[in-house]
Amino acid sequence: MNTKVWLVDKSVENKNGYPQLEEAAALLRQKQTVAFPTETVYGLGADATSDEAVAKIFEAKGRPSDNPLIVHIASKEQLDSMAAYIPPVAETLMEMFWPGPLTLLFPKQKSVSDKVTAGLSTVAVRMPAHPLALALIRQANVPVAAPSANRSGRPSPTLASHVYEDLNGRIPGIVDGGPTGIGVESTVLDCTGDIPVILRPGGITKEQLEEAVGQVLLDPALKDETEAPKSPGMKYTHYAPKAPLTIVEGSREFLQDLVKQRKKEGLRVGVLTTEENQHFYEADVILPCGQRSDLATVAAHLYDVLRSFDDAGVDVIYSEAFPGEGIGIAIMNRLTKAAGHRSISEK
């Protein structure tokens, strides 16, 4: 299969949308897969109402079919065809955060492919805040199921080149809209119960949600790998570089001692750090991932840095830990998954 790349400038739109997207939109209508940018990461999309189309997502990614997908929409009318019921708290959240990096769980309509929901009675839906994603969904005129556009288990793609690296020859096309913005996936929120529950932390923080609707809980399954997944992207090891990654809870000196030990063993060692700390370490590869004083920059660069360690050919990677608040919750969630829950504490 030849994978075509459409380079589209998101700032150049006319009254008919983006003419460069017509071929990609036609492929979606024809039950094919297309990768496209969102404000979080690149997604691999297919018609959410078609079992045939959705099956091609799992095949291209090598993704287990018991892992549910998020449906992306461009209008409230499309939500009505997906959700059997819209709770009042969801109305408030949509008003506040849509379009944006917030995915909401709803009781599903029969029109949604069971392959999208992995047999669950709920469907995860969001409206992305990216002009090319919205235009592509409108021009295709179908709701689009889309996980991240990477091989299953790899770091999510924040550039079209990441998608090409993983999926060239496996999908018909990639819409290249440049780098994504937020860099970690959307927050997934179950608002079908009395108190909303975060199933996956992401681009909208717990603090932002609580300011909008009051109490919000974190799903205990975020810490329990034996729980069945109610949210996309939470069951299996994800985001992993090729070299084993370990999160280090402790001082810079403690992390540097670990680096020295592994270098004595003849290993090529990488360190994931921040701009503030990068000059402290003596390792083979030191990659800063944004600023500790601005965790949004860490989120934006996290996946790109994880992929860069592959290019650098390291044997092991140590990562600093980040504060577990705000978007730091999402950063630590992704790092923990990438590390396969490997961590070392100084205490």
Side-chain angles (χ1 to χ4, degrees):
M1 180 186 298
N2 292 322
T3 299
K4 186 169 184 177
V5 178
W6 301 278
L7 184 61
V8 186
D9 185 344
K10 66 182 180 182
S11 66
V12 181
E13 184 181 13
N14 63 33
K15 63 181 180 180
N16 298 318
Y18 295 88
Q20 309 100 307
L21 294 179
E22 273 308 317
E23 189 175 358
L27 284 169
L28 289 174
R29 289 192 295 271
Q30 294 162 11
K31 317 303 181 190
Q32 299 298 319
T33 56
V34 171
F36 62 96
T38 77
E39 79 280 22
T40 57
V41 299
Y42 273 75
L44 179 61
D47 182 350
T49 66
S50 167
D51 287 350
E52 174 193 351
V54 174
K56 292 174 181 176
I57 294 176
F58 291 104
E59 181 181 359
K61 283 177 61 71
R63 180 183 174 107
S65 60
D66 62 346
N67 209 356
L69 307 178
I70 291 172
V71 178
H72 294 65
I73 60 172
S75 68
K76 183 72 180 299
E77 290 71 28
Q78 285 183 319
L79 176 62
D80 292 338
S81 70
M82 299 284 103
Y85 170 67
I86 301 174
V89 68
E91 295 279 7
T92 300
L93 291 164
M94 289 187 290
E95 184 69 27
M96 289 282 294
F97 298 111
W98 278 15
L102 178 64
T103 295
L104 300 174
L105 253 64
F106 302 96
K108 71 179 285 266
Q109 291 269 33
K110 291 181 179 179
S111 61
V112 183
S113 166
D114 285 339
K115 290 186 179 295
V116 168
T117 61
L120 299 175
S121 61
T122 53
V123 60
V125 184
R126 88 176 185 99
M127 186 183 294
H130 193 290
L132 297 185
L134 292 172
L136 179 63
I137 297 165
R138 290 192 193 104
Q139 289 174 227
N141 198 29
V142 295
V144 175
S148 55
N150 55 299
R151 291 300 299 271
S152 189
R154 295 277 289 135
S156 298
T158 53
L159 295 169
S161 59
H162 297 160
V163 183
Y164 195 83
E165 177 186 346
D166 279 9
L167 299 179
N168 178 33
R170 302 180 68 87
I171 61 175
I174 302 167
V175 175
D176 183 350
T180 60
I182 294 169
V184 294
E185 293 84 352
S186 62
T187 300
V188 179
L189 188 72
D190 184 352
C191 51
T192 60
D194 294 334
I195 301 174
V197 179
I198 294 174
L199 304 182
R200 181 182 74 184
I204 299 296
T205 67
K206 183 173 185 283
E207 292 84 352
Q208 288 174 297
L209 294 170
E210 289 185 326
E211 187 174 339
V213 296
Q215 184 182 14
V216 173
L217 302 175
L218 284 170
D219 186 5
L222 288 170
K223 295 184 177 180
D224 186 353
E225 290 292 290
T226 65
E227 290 279 339
K230 292 181 283 186
S231 166
M234 295 312 296
K235 183 172 183 181
Y236 298 94
T237 299
H238 287 273
Y239 325 116
K242 294 174 183 176
L245 168 69
T246 301
I247 300 169
V248 180
E249 301 269 2
S251 65
R252 296 181 305 179
E253 290 79 9
F254 178 63
L255 195 158
Q256 179 58 36
D257 284 342
L258 294 171
V259 171
K260 287 181 180 178
Q261 291 173 23
R262 303 314 295 273
K263 283 176 67 66
K264 285 180 180 177
E265 297 168 12
L267 298 179
R268 184 170 167 81
V269 184
V271 171
L272 189 157
T273 179
T274 58
E275 292 177 14
E276 292 95 331
N277 290 341
Q278 64 178 314
H279 300 296
F280 177 84
Y281 298 107
E282 296 178 7
D284 296 290
V285 179
I286 301 164
L287 295 182
C289 185
Q291 302 167 8
R292 181 166 288 272
S293 57
D294 182 4
L295 290 182
T297 64
V298 174
H301 295 99
L302 179 62
Y303 293 140
D304 189 32
V305 166
L306 289 175
R307 284 177 176 267
S308 294
F309 280 116
D310 292 345
D311 298 334
V314 296
D315 299 308
V316 294
I317 306 165
Y318 289 112
S319 173
E320 294 179 347
F322 295 91
E325 58 189 25
I327 201 165
I329 295 176
I331 292 167
M332 287 304 296
N333 171 267
R334 303 311 192 273
L335 272 176
T336 299
K337 297 290 266 185
H341 293 263
R342 283 185 299 269
S343 65
I344 298 176
S345 177
E346 186 173 13
K347 297 179 180 178

